[in-house]
Amino acid sequence: MKVARFYAPGDIRIEEAPEPTAGPGEIKLRVRNCSTCGTDAKIRRHGHHHIVPPRVIGHEIAGEVVEAGEGVSGWSAGDRVQVIAAIPCGECPDCRRGWQTICPNQESMGYHYEGGFAEYLVVPAKVLAVDGVNRIPDGVSFAEASVAEPLACVLNGQEHARVGEGDDVVVVGAGPIGCLHVRMARARGAKRVFLVELNRQRLDMAAERVHPDAAIASGEVDAVDEIRKLTDGRGADVVITAAASGAAQEAALQMVARRGRISFFGGLPKDNPIISCDSNLVHYRELTIVGANGSSPEHNRRALDLIASGQVPVSDLITHRMPLDDVLTAIDTVTEGTAIKVTIEP
Ligand SMILES: [Zn+2]
Ligand SMILES: [Zn+2]
């Protein structure tokens, strides 16, 4: 079979590999869609401390069961499934408290295990043990189901930021994650959603699809001023930074209303993670700053339901479909910002 394998930064190869078989407790999938995201671009450029090469990457996985290994019940050939990316251990004190997203023993598909940029994939027993394989609801395509994983992360982020009824929400960053945040905020009852983005082309493309109440090109205007104007000087109830930018995080502190919540959804480059924060703003204005680290199996199930029910449509965000041979082009397209979601169909 054909796979896309990471060897070193800048070195991802499309090559032949033996077709895997499902061992005890595992299932084998024919991968139908594995979508790309900014993380793949990051891995391509810098590698990742959890990836020991060579490794088949790709973590936004949907496919069809072709074989269930010994001892597996509930799954059989032909079942349409979506697979989690982050695998909690299910046993540590954090997992037992229901905090699977911060499991210190977390492993990931496409990092510790072979990923979805392949014709076939074996789902490890560890994934099945934490209910990490979800049946794709009728009416949801494989391509849409592959977006459940990033949407699950967005859901986790908005739960922490308590996005809800009547909120004014700012999303900074108009990539695929930013677009999903806009849609999710609407689904959770936000009153208005404002989208802020540096790159004009990316902003226009996103705004055309997700229709924010205002689209603010932060390369052309002062986004903090704009948000203050739009909210009569009050600021936004929630600001979500979906960009790897310390400047965006610092601006978030200036955009948020009293009692507001800030989600540092996107992480910063690991060699430059320090920002300056006026702690008195947090103190006197009673601000809450929250993080977000991936998603739990439960978030993945709920994300699939949100897609199936139409509360969070994703099909129009999938702007490009490419064969496995074009994985590198797909990753370039993601980096350039000329696409929203690019999905690989191996
Ligand atoms: Zn991803
Ligand atoms: Zn754990």
Side-chain angles (χ1 to χ4, degrees):
M1 66 167 184
K2 206 180 280 178
V3 301
R5 202 173 256 149
F6 171 85
Y7 278 85
D11 184 8
I12 292 174
R13 302 177 203 168
I14 312 294
E15 59 186 20
E16 284 297 319
E19 214 178 288
T21 51
E26 301 174 337
I27 58 177
K28 175 179 169 181
L29 302 187
R30 173 74 179 91
V31 180
R32 292 298 178 195
N33 282 88
C34 185
S35 292
T36 58
C37 76
T39 306
D40 298 313
K42 229 186 287 175
I43 292 169
R44 180 188 185 185
R45 203 173 308 155
H46 306 293
H48 192 280
H49 61 288
H50 284 149
I51 297 182
V52 181
R55 171 67 71 218
V56 176
I57 59 169
H59 58 271
E60 302 185 357
I61 303 162
E64 203 174 314
V65 176
V66 289
E67 183 191 345
E70 200 190 306
V72 172
S73 59
W75 299 108
S76 50
D79 288 345
R80 293 171 359 106
V81 298
Q82 178 264 349
V83 182
I84 58 170
I87 313 163
C89 75
E91 287 161 10
C92 69
D94 291 313
C95 282
R96 274 191 261 120
R97 296 176 87 164
W99 301 346
Q100 292 174 315
T101 57
I102 52 162
C103 171
N105 310 316
Q106 190 181 88
E107 295 185 318
S108 299
M109 296 299 291
Y111 293 68
H112 305 81
Y113 302 96
E114 298 287 64
F117 293 149
E119 289 176 72
Y120 294 91
L121 162 100
V122 164
V123 178
K126 267 195 84 165
V127 170
L128 288 149
V130 295
D131 277 335
V133 178
N134 299 308
R135 212 168 285 278
I136 300 175
D138 289 341
V140 175
S141 69
F142 288 116
E144 291 169 288
S146 72
V147 182
E149 190 278 328
L151 186 62
C153 301
V154 163
L155 175 57
N156 177 44
Q158 294 206 9
E159 283 183 342
H160 284 304
R162 305 192 311 276
V163 175
E165 213 63 50
D167 283 337
D168 277 340
V169 178
V170 176
V171 176
V172 183
I177 288 288
C179 289
L180 292 173
H181 270 299
V182 173
R183 290 248 160 108
M184 180 68 76
R186 297 255 193 241
R188 295 172 69 87
K191 183 174 71 184
R192 294 185 297 176
V193 187
F194 307 125
L195 184 58
V196 176
E197 163 69 48
L198 207 52
N199 175 327
R200 164 60 76 178
Q201 186 189 4
R202 182 179 279 157
L203 178 67
D204 290 346
M205 184 173 50
E208 201 180 289
R209 286 185 162 78
V210 298
H211 308 292
D213 293 279
I216 298 162
S218 50
E220 299 164 19
V221 294
D222 182 332
V224 173
D225 280 353
E226 293 299 310
I227 296 300
R228 286 192 181 147
K229 266 186 246 162
L230 285 159
T231 56
D232 300 321
R234 207 182 136 260
D237 300 291
V238 180
V239 181
I240 299 166
T241 59
S245 159
Q249 294 185 346
E250 288 171 1
L253 285 155
Q254 308 297 322
M255 286 177 188
V256 79
R258 288 179 172 75
R259 282 267 173 131
R261 290 90 70 197
I262 296 170
S263 169
F264 289 165
F265 185 87
L268 299 185
K270 65 172 183 290
D271 57 353
N272 191 17
I274 309 296
I275 63 164
S276 89
C277 164
D278 178 347
S279 123
N280 275 340
L281 282 179
V282 178
H283 173 74
Y284 290 112
R285 294 174 163 249
E286 299 192 355
L287 306 183
T288 305
I289 301 174
V290 297
N293 183 48
S295 60
S296 68
E298 171 70 15
H299 287 121
N300 281 253
R301 277 189 285 286
R302 287 166 55 205
L304 267 180
D305 289 342
L306 287 165
I307 295 170
S309 67
Q311 289 176 82
V312 181
V314 298
S315 63
D316 62 332
L317 302 181
I318 301 165
T319 52
H320 296 64
R321 293 164 188 263
M322 297 183 188
L324 190 55
D325 281 324
D326 294 344
V327 162
L328 296 179
T329 313
I331 294 173
D332 284 340
T333 312
V334 169
T335 314
E336 286 159 10
T338 49
I340 298 180
K341 205 72 190 159
V342 184
T343 194
I344 298 295
E345 313 199 305

